[in-house]
Amino acid sequence: MHGTIESVDVLVVGYGPVGAALAALLGRYGVSTLVIDKAADILMSPRAIALDNEALRILQATGLADDAFDRIVIPQVRMLCPHVGLFGRVNTRGDIDGHPKLVTFYQPDLERALRALVASHASVRAWLATEMIGFVDEGDCVTVALRESGGRERTVRARYLIGADGAGSLVRKAIGQGFTGQTYAEDWLIVDARNVPGDFDHVEFICDSQRPTPHMVAPGGRTRWEFMLRPGETREQMERDDTIKSLLSQWANTDDIRIERKAVYRFHARCCERFSRGRVFLIGDAAHVTPPFVGQGLVAGLRDAMNLAWKLASVIDGRAAPAILDSYDIERRPHAAKMIRLAKFMGKLVMPRNKLMAILVHGSMAALRLLPALRRHFDELGVKPKNEFPDGLFVRGRRRGGLKRGAQIPQGLVRGSDGTVLLSDDALGSGLVLVGFGVDASAHLAPATRQAWSAIGGSSLQLRAYGTGASASEAYECLDIQLMPRAAATGWCAVVRPDRTVLHDGPASEADRLVRASIDLLTRHEPRSRAA
């Protein structure tokens, strides 16, 4: 290791949207963070294109404003077969947890917005045109060797190293993590174009065995097509202007269209054996790669960042035991694997092997939609795995109320005592919080419990039903039914993690016991959670 030695709490390798989101979240906690990237600037080609309500909720948690980057709300996703017709449809109208169910966006815009947000945090620095050339996990820190584009080498000691460096992750390879899974044999031509005429406003999958073609609208007058290559077609042939014009001619007059990007890709479905080793953690594509058929690749990476950031901050600040970091892999890896399986299933629908298979599979799907219950299940995203954990950093127990431990608390609109209307996550803040539903749960805490709760960064607030007002500064009136009465009844309380996962819940009269059990879990955590 050569050069000047610097020290930080967290070093993030990779400054794409996932690395930037993690840096922004750590910045909100005041964690000393260095994020590096070998590129000198943002890559201007559009790549990821879809975000769901969960991703937008995480971006809300970073502090990113709704208007920080352009987006288009997608009303529906349609799946068409040339032999069967419409055989699948997903209703993406409306919102969940205060955000649209599905939007498309332009990735460079999102990255610019996130980097501006990161720059606003004094505790976070970014070094561009800088690559990692190696590291050693010393047990109490990670010593990392870096090289700038001009050849200068620097050494950084970090308490934790995060690999957010994409599917070819050097960090993952250095900790000896396998990347098992599937590489699809088919190549795809991705075409991003601008000035496409017409009023196309949704996402459409043309599931043709001859040439499957996903097609979607995006901000800035953009439209994306994805064309699967046929046997014998080459990258050079497909990226030619005349080939692209021929492919797009059925949608528009190609003389009016400006091609912004054309590239041939091969999709992958892969997942690490573990998302961490020692003081090194993997997030985003460094840990898992999801085929694009359900638009969950970037979303999964943002879930990683949200899950890991508050745990790192709590450990670094001495408010939680280092063992809580074991729960990152326990919680995130199974859910990421479920999303990969869903994407692979969707891939089979999108890419039927032949005409007969298309008729059989797509015809069966169309027939199932004749049954109202099954149609609702598919149309209303019932097949999407919920972001909840069977095991992890929460107190296990029987579900007695509307909330579920290990799952997220819903978000709704609330009004503060000063009349300000905001989303409930913003009211909860960025730390641990004891939420009382229709009652001040903190009134049931013994002085010693209250002091211990405050010492690990815990706070409390009360949610009141619509029409009951909110007279106290820590009370908020619910303006919709998402939290009261849908999530919990009057007299209930919940201990909520900063990533909005319910850590513990029960009657408000038992708040002292619930909070003490939560403190015990966070400060004396064992790898697997205990019932209480």
Side-chain angles (χ1 to χ4, degrees):
M1 302 288 181
H2 305 285
T4 304
I5 297 177
E6 300 198 29
S7 296
V8 294
D9 288 326
V10 178
L11 195 159
V12 182
V13 180
Y15 205 13
V18 173
L22 178 65
L25 289 165
L26 292 172
R28 294 198 80 178
Y29 292 112
V31 174
S32 170
T33 304
L34 172 64
V35 55
I36 68 165
D37 199 282
K38 62 184 179 181
D41 204 346
I42 293 169
L43 297 177
M44 292 310 296
S45 62
R47 286 151 288 149
I49 197 170
L51 295 170
D52 65 6
N53 53 282
E54 291 182 50
L56 295 172
R57 189 178 184 183
I58 293 167
L59 293 175
Q60 175 193 344
T62 68
L64 203 64
D66 277 347
D67 61 355
F69 66 102
D70 288 340
R71 63 195 80 175
I72 290 180
V73 177
I74 301 298
Q76 62 177 328
V77 178
R78 291 161 51 89
M79 303 191 74
L80 302 169
C81 172
H83 315 294
V84 175
L86 179 70
F87 70 89
R89 176 184 173 275
V90 179
N91 173 27
T92 52
R93 288 184 172 87
D95 63 85
I96 299 175
D97 293 327
H99 294 286
K101 294 179 183 177
L102 181 65
V103 302
T104 55
F105 71 106
Y106 179 57
Q107 183 170 326
D109 286 348
L110 172 61
E111 292 194 43
R112 248 190 309 268
L114 282 170
R115 290 190 182 191
L117 185 63
V118 169
S120 71
H121 295 296
S123 65
V124 184
R125 291 174 292 163
W127 292 353
L128 301 180
T130 302
E131 63 178 330
M132 183 194 75
I133 56 177
F135 66 86
V136 177
D137 189 337
E138 309 279 6
D140 59 347
C141 70
V142 184
T143 304
V144 189
L146 307 176
R147 181 187 294 123
E148 298 175 347
S149 58
R152 177 190 178 194
E153 293 188 1
R154 308 174 78 165
T155 300
V156 175
R157 287 200 180 108
R159 293 178 65 178
Y160 297 97
L161 173 66
I162 314 300
D165 48 342
S169 172
L170 295 178
V171 177
R172 182 188 66 245
K173 294 172 183 175
I175 62 172
Q177 280 299 301
F179 211 32
T180 58
Q182 172 186 0
T183 294
Y184 285 81
E186 302 83 6
D187 287 321
W188 290 75
L189 170 68
I190 313 298
V191 179
D192 288 296
R194 304 189 74 168
N195 304 327
V196 180
D199 56 0
F200 182 78
D201 68 348
H202 58 281
V203 174
E204 189 168 271
F205 288 86
I206 301 174
C207 307
D208 186 349
S209 58
Q210 293 299 303
R211 193 182 304 277
T213 308
H215 174 210
M216 61 212 71
V217 65
R222 295 178 173 88
T223 302
R224 171 174 291 185
W225 287 269
E226 300 174 2
F227 301 97
M228 194 177 86
L229 273 63
R230 295 170 179 165
E233 292 179 331
T234 65
R235 175 190 300 268
E236 293 73 20
Q237 173 190 353
M238 296 302 290
E239 291 182 356
R240 289 202 319 247
D241 290 344
D242 60 330
T243 301
I244 291 172
K245 283 190 175 185
S246 175
L247 290 169
L248 299 186
S249 61
Q250 61 180 298
W251 280 278
N253 181 350
T254 54
D255 293 335
D256 301 328
I257 295 175
R258 179 164 67 86
I259 302 301
E260 190 170 48
R261 183 184 70 145
K262 51 185 179 180
V264 171
Y265 286 96
R266 182 164 290 187
F267 300 145
H268 306 273
R270 298 188 177 277
C271 192
C272 270
E273 298 155 1
R274 277 188 59 83
F275 287 8
S276 64
R277 181 178 180 182
R279 290 181 171 267
V280 182
F281 295 82
L282 304 172
I283 65 173
D285 284 357
H288 46 78
V289 179
T290 307
F293 305 115
V294 290
Q296 287 290 306
L298 175 54
V299 179
L302 292 174
R303 291 192 192 99
D304 296 342
M306 186 68 173
N307 188 288
L308 183 59
W310 76 270
K311 295 174 182 176
L312 284 170
S314 297
V315 171
I316 288 166
D317 287 349
R319 293 180 280 110
I324 73 165
L325 297 174
D326 294 340
S327 67
Y328 168 64
D329 176 76
I330 291 170
E331 292 177 348
R332 281 298 307 135
R333 183 159 46 90
H335 187 265
K338 288 179 183 178
M339 280 299 182
I340 291 171
R341 287 195 292 271
L342 175 62
K344 290 170 69 175
F345 168 74
M346 290 295 292
K348 292 179 180 178
L349 296 180
V350 173
M351 302 183 295
R353 292 195 301 269
N354 51 56
K355 178 179 178 180
L356 177 60
M357 187 62 67
I359 293 172
L360 288 174
V361 174
H362 299 159
S364 297
M365 292 293 296
L368 290 174
R369 294 189 78 251
L370 297 176
L371 301 173
L374 286 176
R375 183 172 65 250
R376 284 193 300 272
H377 180 70
F378 287 108
D379 289 9
E380 302 303 325
L381 296 170
V383 298
K384 180 182 176 183
K386 294 182 178 179
N387 188 21
E388 57 187 45
F389 316 124
D391 202 358
L393 188 60
F394 58 93
V395 180
R396 300 182 68 177
R398 291 187 300 107
R399 185 172 182 173
R400 293 182 289 166
L403 297 172
K404 184 177 181 180
R405 299 176 201 173
Q408 288 190 315
I409 189 172
Q411 177 168 224
L413 283 173
V414 297
R415 180 163 51 209
S417 57
D418 62 355
T420 302
V421 174
L422 66 163
L423 287 167
S424 56
D425 281 2
D426 295 333
L428 266 61
S430 58
L432 295 156
V433 60
L434 171 64
V435 180
F437 294 88
V439 63
D440 179 10
S442 67
H444 295 276
L445 300 181
T449 305
R450 189 188 302 271
Q451 183 178 3
W453 183 235
S454 178
I456 66 168
S459 64
S460 64
L461 65 78
Q462 180 184 168
L463 295 174
R464 300 178 63 87
Y466 179 69
T468 58
S471 56
S473 60
E474 68 277 5
Y476 292 85
E477 179 186 10
C478 297
L479 300 182
D480 53 40
I481 64 172
Q482 302 307 316
L483 290 159
M484 290 188 70
R486 179 174 290 175
T490 298
W492 203 254
C493 74
V495 178
V496 181
R497 300 179 351 184
D499 61 357
R500 311 313 176 201
T501 300
V502 177
L503 192 153
H504 208 345
D505 75 327
S509 59
E510 300 179 18
D512 191 79
R513 177 182 66 82
L514 303 178
V515 169
R516 282 189 288 105
S518 301
I519 293 171
D520 183 67
L521 183 64
L522 291 164
T523 58
R524 301 179 182 86
H525 179 66
E526 297 172 1
R528 300 279 173 173
S529 57
R530 305 180 300 276

